[in-house]
Amino acid sequence: MSAPLTSFTDKATPHALALFRVVVGLLFACHGASSLFGIMGGAMGNGSTVPAGSWPGWYAAVIQLAGGVLVMTGLGTRPAAFISSGSMAYAYFTMHAGHALWPIQNGGEAAAMFSWAFLLIFFTGPGAWALDRVFFGASDAAPAPAAEREPSAA
């Protein structure tokens, strides 16, 4: 890759990760809000809500709303993304995988995509614009690539 493009992408990466985090968190929170409050089409798109305390729907909706808001704002991003990823993996394997092999066949595309997106956010961190930095001064900067690090004294 050319040096100017590499320089641009290196500088833009934390901002692109932050934008990805915000969009994924917002979409996830919308799923939880629709199930809990019956807004935006409601649970299963029929305008209803998930009965309070019902397993696993109500608990999944709470994780979706809380996890989505936390990831979107960059507050406790890694733990929230880890729990959200696990929740969607659980949803995929318990609600979808038994019906057919591929997500396109079993209706589990959203669960699979959310699970992998949150796993990526867990490993990459919140990027720029995270509230963790505002409240706690946390620096979640990615370490330098191995080629740029100084060799450790062994």
Side-chain angles (χ1 to χ4, degrees), residues 24-37 50 53-72 75-91 111 114-115 118:
V24 169
L26 175 65
L27 294 174
F28 201 56
C30 287
H31 274 275
S34 69
S35 294
L36 290 173
F37 308 121
V50 176
S54 65
W55 178 259
W58 185 82
Y59 294 93
V62 169
I63 289 172
Q64 290 167 358
L65 180 59
V69 168
L70 289 171
V71 167
M72 180 179 64
L75 189 59
T77 303
R78 288 182 194 262
F82 185 76
I83 292 167
S84 297
S85 175
S87 170
M88 288 295 95
Y90 176 83
F114 274 125
S115 182
F118 282 119

Side-chain angles (χ1 to χ4, degrees), residues 73-140:
T73 60
L75 189 59
T77 303
R78 288 182 194 262
F82 185 76
I83 292 167
S84 297
S85 175
S87 170
M88 288 295 95
Y90 176 83
Y92 180 79
F93 287 110
T94 61
M95 304 302 291
H96 301 284
H99 299 290
L101 175 64
W102 296 102
I104 193 73
Q105 295 172 310
N106 64 32
E109 304 96 330
M113 288 294 293
F114 274 125
S115 182
W116 284 104
F118 282 119
L119 193 62
L120 178 65
I121 292 168
F122 170 74
F123 280 104
T124 60
W129 323 328
L131 283 183
D132 278 342
R133 296 186 203 309
V134 174
F135 291 126
F136 308 110
S139 175
D140 206 6

